[in-house]
mmCIF file with all atom_site columns, all heavy atoms in Angstrom:
data_model
loop_
_atom_site.group_PDB
_atom_site.id
_atom_site.type_symbol
_atom_site.label_atom_id
_atom_site.label_alt_id
_atom_site.label_comp_id
_atom_site.label_asym_id
_atom_site.label_entity_id
_atom_site.label_seq_id
_atom_site.pdbx_PDB_ins_code
_atom_site.Cartn_x
_atom_site.Cartn_y
_atom_site.Cartn_z
_atom_site.occupancy
_atom_site.B_iso_or_equiv
_atom_site.pdbx_formal_charge
_atom_site.auth_seq_id
_atom_site.auth_comp_id
_atom_site.auth_asym_id
_atom_site.auth_atom_id
_atom_site.pdbx_PDB_model_num
ATOM 1   N N   . SER A 1 51 ? 11.538 108.868 226.238 1.00 94.00 ? 260 SER A N   1
ATOM 2   C CA  . SER A 1 51 ? 12.310 108.897 227.439 1.00 94.00 ? 260 SER A CA  1
ATOM 3   C C   . SER A 1 51 ? 11.372 109.422 228.685 1.00 94.00 ? 260 SER A C   1
ATOM 4   O O   . SER A 1 51 ? 11.772 109.871 229.703 1.00 94.00 ? 260 SER A O   1
ATOM 5   C CB  . SER A 1 51 ? 13.400 110.074 227.386 1.00 94.00 ? 260 SER A CB  1
ATOM 6   O OG  . SER A 1 51 ? 12.866 111.262 227.010 1.00 94.00 ? 260 SER A OG  1
ATOM 7   N N   . VAL A 1 52 ? 10.061 109.203 228.467 1.00 97.00 ? 261 VAL A N   1
ATOM 8   C CA  . VAL A 1 52 ? 9.014  109.646 229.460 1.00 97.00 ? 261 VAL A CA  1
ATOM 9   C C   . VAL A 1 52 ? 8.325  108.529 230.022 1.00 97.00 ? 261 VAL A C   1
ATOM 10  O O   . VAL A 1 52 ? 7.819  107.637 229.339 1.00 97.00 ? 261 VAL A O   1
ATOM 11  C CB  . VAL A 1 52 ? 8.090  110.696 228.766 1.00 97.00 ? 261 VAL A CB  1
ATOM 12  C CG1 . VAL A 1 52 ? 7.099  111.276 229.808 1.00 97.00 ? 261 VAL A CG1 1
ATOM 13  C CG2 . VAL A 1 52 ? 8.900  111.780 228.096 1.00 97.00 ? 261 VAL A CG2 1
ATOM 14  N N   . TRP A 1 53 ? 8.025  108.536 231.334 1.00 97.00 ? 262 TRP A N   1
ATOM 15  C CA  . TRP A 1 53 ? 7.217  107.560 232.064 1.00 97.00 ? 262 TRP A CA  1
ATOM 16  C C   . TRP A 1 53 ? 5.785  107.808 231.714 1.00 97.00 ? 262 TRP A C   1
ATOM 17  O O   . TRP A 1 53 ? 5.318  108.924 231.566 1.00 97.00 ? 262 TRP A O   1
ATOM 18  C CB  . TRP A 1 53 ? 7.524  107.684 233.483 1.00 97.00 ? 262 TRP A CB  1
ATOM 19  C CG  . TRP A 1 53 ? 7.160  106.397 234.350 1.00 97.00 ? 262 TRP A CG  1
ATOM 20  C CD1 . TRP A 1 53 ? 6.072  106.330 235.019 1.00 97.00 ? 262 TRP A CD1 1
ATOM 21  C CD2 . TRP A 1 53 ? 7.782  105.169 234.327 1.00 97.00 ? 262 TRP A CD2 1
ATOM 22  N NE1 . TRP A 1 53 ? 5.970  105.088 235.577 1.00 97.00 ? 262 TRP A NE1 1
ATOM 23  C CE2 . TRP A 1 53 ? 7.047  104.317 235.192 1.00 97.00 ? 262 TRP A CE2 1
ATOM 24  C CE3 . TRP A 1 53 ? 8.955  104.692 233.710 1.00 97.00 ? 262 TRP A CE3 1
ATOM 25  C CZ2 . TRP A 1 53 ? 7.433  103.007 235.376 1.00 97.00 ? 262 TRP A CZ2 1
ATOM 26  C CZ3 . TRP A 1 53 ? 9.308  103.343 233.969 1.00 97.00 ? 262 TRP A CZ3 1
ATOM 27  C CH2 . TRP A 1 53 ? 8.612  102.558 234.826 1.00 97.00 ? 262 TRP A CH2 1
ATOM 28  N N   . PRO A 1 54 ? 4.913  106.693 231.550 1.00 98.00 ? 263 PRO A N   1
ATOM 29  C CA  . PRO A 1 54 ? 3.562  106.899 231.203 1.00 98.00 ? 263 PRO A CA  1
ATOM 30  C C   . PRO A 1 54 ? 2.734  107.779 232.151 1.00 98.00 ? 263 PRO A C   1
ATOM 31  O O   . PRO A 1 54 ? 1.833  108.555 231.699 1.00 98.00 ? 263 PRO A O   1
ATOM 32  C CB  . PRO A 1 54 ? 2.985  105.462 231.254 1.00 98.00 ? 263 PRO A CB  1
ATOM 33  C CG  . PRO A 1 54 ? 4.292  104.594 231.038 1.00 98.00 ? 263 PRO A CG  1
ATOM 34  C CD  . PRO A 1 54 ? 5.389  105.347 231.650 1.00 98.00 ? 263 PRO A CD  1
ATOM 35  N N   . THR A 1 55 ? 3.067  107.715 233.500 1.00 98.00 ? 264 THR A N   1
ATOM 36  C CA  . THR A 1 55 ? 2.349  108.536 234.391 1.00 98.00 ? 264 THR A CA  1
ATOM 37  C C   . THR A 1 55 ? 2.527  110.059 234.128 1.00 98.00 ? 264 THR A C   1
ATOM 38  O O   . THR A 1 55 ? 1.656  110.868 234.322 1.00 98.00 ? 264 THR A O   1
ATOM 39  C CB  . THR A 1 55 ? 2.711  108.152 235.815 1.00 98.00 ? 264 THR A CB  1
ATOM 40  O OG1 . THR A 1 55 ? 4.073  108.384 235.976 1.00 98.00 ? 264 THR A OG1 1
ATOM 41  C CG2 . THR A 1 55 ? 2.182  106.806 236.220 1.00 98.00 ? 264 THR A CG2 1
ATOM 42  N N   . THR A 1 56 ? 3.749  110.402 233.617 1.00 98.00 ? 265 THR A N   1
ATOM 43  C CA  . THR A 1 56 ? 4.045  111.724 233.345 1.00 98.00 ? 265 THR A CA  1
ATOM 44  C C   . THR A 1 56 ? 3.224  112.233 232.127 1.00 98.00 ? 265 THR A C   1
ATOM 45  O O   . THR A 1 56 ? 2.814  113.362 232.092 1.00 98.00 ? 265 THR A O   1
ATOM 46  C CB  . THR A 1 56 ? 5.622  111.898 233.016 1.00 98.00 ? 265 THR A CB  1
ATOM 47  O OG1 . THR A 1 56 ? 6.233  111.471 234.139 1.00 98.00 ? 265 THR A OG1 1
ATOM 48  C CG2 . THR A 1 56 ? 5.909  113.340 232.666 1.00 98.00 ? 265 THR A CG2 1
ATOM 49  N N   . ARG A 1 57 ? 2.945  111.323 231.230 1.00 98.00 ? 266 ARG A N   1
ATOM 50  C CA  . ARG A 1 57 ? 2.145  111.704 230.060 1.00 98.00 ? 266 ARG A CA  1
ATOM 51  C C   . ARG A 1 57 ? 0.687  112.029 230.515 1.00 98.00 ? 266 ARG A C   1
ATOM 52  O O   . ARG A 1 57 ? 0.091  113.008 229.962 1.00 98.00 ? 266 ARG A O   1
ATOM 53  C CB  . ARG A 1 57 ? 1.957  110.504 229.069 1.00 98.00 ? 266 ARG A CB  1
ATOM 54  C CG  . ARG A 1 57 ? 3.315  110.220 228.244 1.00 98.00 ? 266 ARG A CG  1
ATOM 55  C CD  . ARG A 1 57 ? 3.770  111.420 227.519 1.00 98.00 ? 266 ARG A CD  1
ATOM 56  N NE  . ARG A 1 57 ? 4.851  111.127 226.572 1.00 98.00 ? 266 ARG A NE  1
ATOM 57  C CZ  . ARG A 1 57 ? 5.596  112.091 226.070 1.00 98.00 ? 266 ARG A CZ  1
ATOM 58  N NH1 . ARG A 1 57 ? 5.542  113.252 226.538 1.00 98.00 ? 266 ARG A NH1 1
ATOM 59  N NH2 . ARG A 1 57 ? 6.651  111.661 225.187 1.00 98.00 ? 266 ARG A NH2 1
ATOM 60  N N   . VAL A 1 58 ? 0.248  111.370 231.529 1.00 98.00 ? 267 VAL A N   1
ATOM 61  C CA  . VAL A 1 58 ? -1.106 111.686 232.025 1.00 98.00 ? 267 VAL A CA  1
ATOM 62  C C   . VAL A 1 58 ? -1.108 113.087 232.746 1.00 98.00 ? 267 VAL A C   1
ATOM 63  O O   . VAL A 1 58 ? -1.935 113.961 232.490 1.00 98.00 ? 267 VAL A O   1
ATOM 64  C CB  . VAL A 1 58 ? -1.517 110.614 233.068 1.00 98.00 ? 267 VAL A CB  1
ATOM 65  C CG1 . VAL A 1 58 ? -2.819 111.018 233.743 1.00 98.00 ? 267 VAL A CG1 1
ATOM 66  C CG2 . VAL A 1 58 ? -1.791 109.256 232.268 1.00 98.00 ? 267 VAL A CG2 1
ATOM 67  N N   . ASP A 1 59 ? -0.018 113.225 233.547 1.00 97.00 ? 268 ASP A N   1
ATOM 68  C CA  . ASP A 1 59 ? 0.107  114.546 234.315 1.00 97.00 ? 268 ASP A CA  1
ATOM 69  C C   . ASP A 1 59 ? 0.166  115.662 233.245 1.00 97.00 ? 268 ASP A C   1
ATOM 70  O O   . ASP A 1 59 ? -0.445 116.727 233.551 1.00 97.00 ? 268 ASP A O   1
ATOM 71  C CB  . ASP A 1 59 ? 1.246  114.501 235.210 1.00 97.00 ? 268 ASP A CB  1
ATOM 72  C CG  . ASP A 1 59 ? 1.214  113.513 236.277 1.00 97.00 ? 268 ASP A CG  1
ATOM 73  O OD1 . ASP A 1 59 ? 0.162  113.106 236.648 1.00 97.00 ? 268 ASP A OD1 1
ATOM 74  O OD2 . ASP A 1 59 ? 2.251  113.159 236.863 1.00 97.00 ? 268 ASP A OD2 1
ATOM 75  N N   . GLU A 1 60 ? 0.993  115.595 232.252 1.00 97.00 ? 269 GLU A N   1
ATOM 76  C CA  . GLU A 1 60 ? 1.098  116.634 231.227 1.00 97.00 ? 269 GLU A CA  1
ATOM 77  C C   . GLU A 1 60 ? -0.330 116.941 230.635 1.00 97.00 ? 269 GLU A C   1
ATOM 78  O O   . GLU A 1 60 ? -0.674 118.121 230.458 1.00 97.00 ? 269 GLU A O   1
ATOM 79  C CB  . GLU A 1 60 ? 2.055  116.217 230.081 1.00 97.00 ? 269 GLU A CB  1
ATOM 80  C CG  . GLU A 1 60 ? 3.451  116.062 230.501 1.00 97.00 ? 269 GLU A CG  1
ATOM 81  C CD  . GLU A 1 60 ? 4.349  115.408 229.451 1.00 97.00 ? 269 GLU A CD  1
ATOM 82  O OE1 . GLU A 1 60 ? 3.846  114.702 228.609 1.00 97.00 ? 269 GLU A OE1 1
ATOM 83  O OE2 . GLU A 1 60 ? 5.595  115.652 229.525 1.00 97.00 ? 269 GLU A OE2 1
ATOM 84  N N   . ALA A 1 61 ? -1.039 115.873 230.268 1.00 97.00 ? 270 ALA A N   1
ATOM 85  C CA  . ALA A 1 61 ? -2.275 116.120 229.576 1.00 97.00 ? 270 ALA A CA  1
ATOM 86  C C   . ALA A 1 61 ? -3.343 116.869 230.569 1.00 97.00 ? 270 ALA A C   1
ATOM 87  O O   . ALA A 1 61 ? -3.999 117.687 230.114 1.00 97.00 ? 270 ALA A O   1
ATOM 88  C CB  . ALA A 1 61 ? -2.889 114.737 229.142 1.00 97.00 ? 270 ALA A CB  1
ATOM 89  N N   . VAL A 1 62 ? -3.244 116.435 231.815 1.00 97.00 ? 271 VAL A N   1
ATOM 90  C CA  . VAL A 1 62 ? -4.178 117.060 232.743 1.00 97.00 ? 271 VAL A CA  1
ATOM 91  C C   . VAL A 1 62 ? -3.808 118.536 233.027 1.00 97.00 ? 271 VAL A C   1
ATOM 92  O O   . VAL A 1 62 ? -4.696 119.396 233.075 1.00 97.00 ? 271 VAL A O   1
ATOM 93  C CB  . VAL A 1 62 ? -4.160 116.250 234.074 1.00 97.00 ? 271 VAL A CB  1
ATOM 94  C CG1 . VAL A 1 62 ? -4.838 117.067 235.234 1.00 97.00 ? 271 VAL A CG1 1
ATOM 95  C CG2 . VAL A 1 62 ? -4.663 114.877 233.996 1.00 97.00 ? 271 VAL A CG2 1
ATOM 96  N N   . MET A 1 63 ? -2.505 118.770 233.116 1.00 96.00 ? 272 MET A N   1
ATOM 97  C CA  . MET A 1 63 ? -2.091 120.142 233.282 1.00 96.00 ? 272 MET A CA  1
ATOM 98  C C   . MET A 1 63 ? -2.497 121.096 232.061 1.00 96.00 ? 272 MET A C   1
ATOM 99  O O   . MET A 1 63 ? -2.811 122.296 232.278 1.00 96.00 ? 272 MET A O   1
ATOM 100 C CB  . MET A 1 63 ? -0.553 120.230 233.436 1.00 96.00 ? 272 MET A CB  1
ATOM 101 C CG  . MET A 1 63 ? -0.034 119.701 234.788 1.00 96.00 ? 272 MET A CG  1
ATOM 102 S SD  . MET A 1 63 ? -0.385 120.696 236.186 1.00 96.00 ? 272 MET A SD  1
ATOM 103 C CE  . MET A 1 63 ? 0.895  121.865 235.968 1.00 96.00 ? 272 MET A CE  1
ATOM 104 N N   . GLU A 1 64 ? -2.540 120.414 230.870 1.00 96.00 ? 273 GLU A N   1
ATOM 105 C CA  . GLU A 1 64 ? -2.884 121.254 229.656 1.00 96.00 ? 273 GLU A CA  1
ATOM 106 C C   . GLU A 1 64 ? -4.393 121.206 229.509 1.00 96.00 ? 273 GLU A C   1
ATOM 107 O O   . GLU A 1 64 ? -4.848 121.798 228.432 1.00 96.00 ? 273 GLU A O   1
ATOM 108 C CB  . GLU A 1 64 ? -2.169 120.687 228.443 1.00 96.00 ? 273 GLU A CB  1
ATOM 109 C CG  . GLU A 1 64 ? -0.652 120.883 228.534 1.00 96.00 ? 273 GLU A CG  1
ATOM 110 C CD  . GLU A 1 64 ? 0.138  120.202 227.521 1.00 96.00 ? 273 GLU A CD  1
ATOM 111 O OE1 . GLU A 1 64 ? -0.131 120.390 226.293 1.00 96.00 ? 273 GLU A OE1 1
ATOM 112 O OE2 . GLU A 1 64 ? 0.952  119.332 227.816 1.00 96.00 ? 273 GLU A OE2 1
#
Side-chain angles (χ1 to χ4, degrees):
S260 58
V261 183
W262 198 255
T264 56
T265 301
R266 289 303 190 202
V267 171
D268 293 340
E269 291 170 337
V271 171
M272 291 287 282
E273 294 170 58

